Amino acid sequence: MTPESTPILESLHSVFGFSSFREGQEPVVQHLLNGKSVLAVFPTGSGKSLCYQLPALYFSGLTLVVSPLIALMKDQVEFLKEFDIAAARLDSTLSREETKGVHLDIRNRKLKILFAAPERLSNERFIQVLQGQMIDLMVIDEAHCISEWGHNFRPEYLKLAKMAMRLNARRVLALTATATRKVAEDICREFSIEPEAFIHTGYYRPNLTIRFHVVQELQQRRELMLKRVQENAKGPTIVYVTLQKTSEDIAYFLQSEGLPCRAYHAGMNNEDRNAVQDWFMASDSAIVVATIAFGMGIDKSDIRYVYHYNLPKSLENYSQEIGRAGRDGLPSACEIFAAHEDLIVLENFIYGDTPEKKAVSEMLAFLFAQETLFDISVHELANAFDIRPLVVNTLLTYLELMNLLESTQPFYSSYKFQLKSSFEEIYLRFDSVRTEFLKKMFAHAVRARTWFSIDLAHTAEAIQEDRDRLIRALQFLEEEGHLILQTSGFRQGYRIVKTPDDHGLLEKKLYSQLVNNESLNITRLNHVIELVNHSGCKVRFLLKYFGQNRNEDCGHCGWCLQEKNLDFERNSVPFTGIGREQLRALFEETALTSARQMARFLCGITSPLITKKRLRKHPSFACLVEVPFANVLKSLEILLD
Ligand code: ADP
Ligand code: MG
């Protein structure tokens, strides 16, 4: 390991084999070594990780890196191991044994750098393991998630600031590729970062040409994009779309035109996604039509084109997505093909997240009626109260931040297994006492088609055995190759710290926070339209959004190239065709109970309840898909009055 006296430039050569620092890296490393906390805002691919990898070598204690992306953590750990730096990760894909091993390594001070997902910090056991340690540096990757002004606000990130204090982290390094002025302010405030320790390299990318097209008809859009792909020289290309289905449709369309093209989205299984990614990485002409899931872990420097087949949902997303083009510095082209339909789809995603006020109040009543120690499944709560799972999580986190709840630990309530040997073959391998135990346990396994499932709490109670013994037995059988084991039924444990004094007030507060998130997301979407419509240099507009003033036009964006001025107008399709009578009938048929639920249904926005009641098959589902949600909601409220 590098002795503390080695100059940092020498370590950069000798440990990592790099000849010089990239822009921004050196001041970040210097500040950290001087004991300061730092916010570093560099574009993706510009080498943010080195900013902690290098100083970590100079610290005697641990560097804890909190990162939400499991794939990236894996890559990082492998990268560091290549350089003989002791690193490990803790994430949900590790087995119990592996997790124990890492805990032990932490206790024995064997690790220099530890990666953990943010939710890991909701695990008391993990916190206990860390509390005995000297944490010299805590790194927050994707730090923009901490700000409600950021495009991907994750309230559990706010817990990280508290955690940095609780763990006595000596200094913090916050990393992100995009931060508006407000977001940067939030990050600096939460982690006590001084203004001079905010290091950013600027967003201007002179080798990118950004262009815009507004199309009136969907058919026209396909043709236009095809034309663009055909007229441009071949090169690695990403086409971003909003919906999984569009990614398949467009990939199919381009394939049928003889182009090397594949779809990529979160609905595909890991294996298929990895195959697409490998294929893309190895090619110099591949086209991937992807939802935003694609690109996170991609370190490919020669991406020549990034097309937005659909409008991006925010300027932060847009700038990250186009930022994947041309990292080698060579000219690259980015183009948006916007259509009015895109707007409604994106708005509906946003509106679908806001639950009913009543749902929030019922969920609160449920939570605070529990015993002091209790556990929940987010999925169950989502279904019970008709709140999207992500929003259930958000609400729980708000309650934690208000010091009403405290998370204890996550666990699995059940296991699923598939037999590789028959039960009879298994029993033959054990003595009579163990066989008896296994028989009793398996008597409580419920068989589906090929998988069995075992509810641990229920089975342990029924056969009067320890829950841990059941788990150990199943794990042993897996190790011996008798079965394939999977955990299921994820639950999070909580402790009630304090019952709220005033339920009404709490409801109001939480609900208004959700409504506030909704309106911030809508504003963010409107900024994208402003960029498309802006008569002026688009690059300057974009830079200004991120707080950077540029005095001259870029000379190479759509506007500077004098492409025809665009006009993306809102298509305000009016609310028509549904009268009081019909509305009453619809309420009866669907058994929905409120204006908001009905508005979602008519606009084609799903919710746990709509899915559960199979209402997507109803002939009126999505019948007003072209009318803005806000209009539908307002009209319904008037009709119901
Ligand atoms: P980011 O997190 O900013 O997206 P990474 O930290 O993943 O970027 O770095 C991107 C690539 O740049 C990596 O392959 C890394 O090894 C390389 N890199 C980082 N710093 C340097 C440097 N000073 N010289 C050369 N390559 C570097
Ligand atoms: Mg990174």
Side-chain angles (χ1 to χ4, degrees), residues 44-45 47-49 52 67 69 72 76 141-142 175 296:
T44 312
K48 288 187 285 299
S49 323
Y52 59 81
S67 165
L69 302 166
L72 291 195
Q76 286 285 335
D141 205 2
E142 309 291 333
L175 298 171
M296 292 294 223

Side-chain angles (χ1 to χ4, degrees), residues 52-95:
Y52 59 81
Q53 289 164 345
L54 185 56
L57 304 178
Y58 289 80
F59 299 140
S60 55
L62 187 67
T63 291
L64 171 65
V65 184
V66 183
S67 165
L69 302 166
I70 293 181
L72 291 195
M73 289 201 260
K74 278 188 191 154
D75 291 351
Q76 286 285 335
V77 171
E78 275 163 32
F79 174 86
L80 290 165
K81 283 187 171 162
E82 270 174 43
F83 296 105
D84 282 331
I85 299 168
R89 67 189 159 88
L90 280 173
D91 65 50
S92 54
T93 67
L94 295 194
S95 72

Side-chain angles (χ1 to χ4, degrees), residues 316-336:
E316 289 90 338
N317 280 79
Y318 176 62
S319 110
Q320 280 205 344
E321 285 150 17
I322 63 172
R324 301 200 170 104
R327 289 196 194 146
D328 53 9
L330 298 175
S332 304
C334 307
E335 188 162 12
I336 292 185

Side-chain angles (χ1 to χ4, degrees), residues 300-534:
K300 186 170 173 67
S301 63
D302 62 347
I303 297 174
R304 290 278 78 85
Y305 308 100
V306 170
Y307 298 118
H308 280 85
Y309 187 79
N310 295 120
L311 271 186
K313 62 180 188 172
S314 69
L315 291 181
E316 289 90 338
N317 280 79
Y318 176 62
S319 110
Q320 280 205 344
E321 285 150 17
I322 63 172
R324 301 200 170 104
R327 289 196 194 146
D328 53 9
L330 298 175
S332 304
C334 307
E335 188 162 12
I336 292 185
F337 305 99
H340 298 283
E341 282 76 2
D342 299 345
L343 196 59
I344 304 273
V345 172
L346 290 170
E347 280 181 354
N348 284 353
F349 269 116
I350 298 170
Y351 289 122
D353 275 348
T354 310
E356 314 240 1
K357 210 173 194 168
K358 195 177 94 214
V360 174
S361 101
E362 285 171 359
M363 186 174 119
L364 286 176
F366 171 84
L367 292 174
F368 289 101
Q370 305 294 308
E371 317 220 340
T372 309
L373 284 174
F374 68 101
D375 55 81
I376 53 99
S377 135
V378 168
H379 187 71
E380 278 172 24
L381 291 183
N383 276 318
F385 301 108
D386 195 26
I387 305 177
R388 285 187 177 170
L390 215 68
V391 181
V392 168
N393 258 328
T394 302
L395 287 168
L396 287 165
T397 309
Y398 283 140
L399 294 172
E400 278 192 75
L401 291 167
M402 293 168 169
N403 280 323
L404 297 171
L405 292 184
E406 194 171 70
S407 48
T408 53
Q409 53 183 295
F411 62 92
Y412 292 95
S413 62
S414 51
Y415 274 81
K416 285 199 324 191
F417 64 87
Q418 210 174 27
L419 287 177
K420 294 263 115 184
S421 321
S422 70
F423 284 126
E424 296 314 318
E425 282 166 337
I426 294 176
Y427 299 147
L428 283 176
R429 312 290 293 264
F430 295 97
D431 62 27
S432 60
V433 179
R434 289 201 177 84
T435 300
E436 213 37 52
F437 164 75
L438 290 176
K439 277 187 177 162
K440 280 199 294 182
M441 175 173 83
F442 284 136
H444 291 273
V446 180
R447 181 175 193 157
R449 220 169 303 149
T450 50
W451 289 87
F452 290 81
S453 74
I454 286 193
D455 180 324
L456 292 173
H458 168 80
T459 308
E461 167 85 31
I463 66 174
Q464 291 292 302
E465 283 287 351
D466 207 26
R467 199 186 121 97
D468 282 345
R469 186 171 182 212
L470 305 185
I471 296 173
R472 280 200 306 274
L474 288 167
Q475 284 173 341
F476 181 74
L477 292 175
E478 182 188 35
E479 277 161 29
E480 297 288 298
H482 295 302
L483 44 81
I484 302 171
L485 196 59
Q486 274 185 4
T487 48
S488 68
F490 181 78
R491 300 183 77 82
Q492 174 70 43
Y494 286 97
R495 173 184 305 116
I496 297 181
V497 180
K498 187 171 171 290
T499 312
D501 305 323
D502 184 341
H503 267 268
L505 190 68
L506 179 61
E507 272 162 44
K508 241 191 177 155
K509 228 167 153 177
L510 289 176
Y511 190 72
S512 74
Q513 261 167 320
L514 295 180
V515 172
N516 186 38
N517 293 348
E518 175 184 288
S519 79
L520 287 172
N521 283 327
I522 294 287
T523 308
R524 228 163 256 139
L525 183 54
N526 288 336
H527 286 312
V528 177
I529 298 167
E530 278 172 36
L531 172 71
V532 174
N533 284 343
H534 179 65

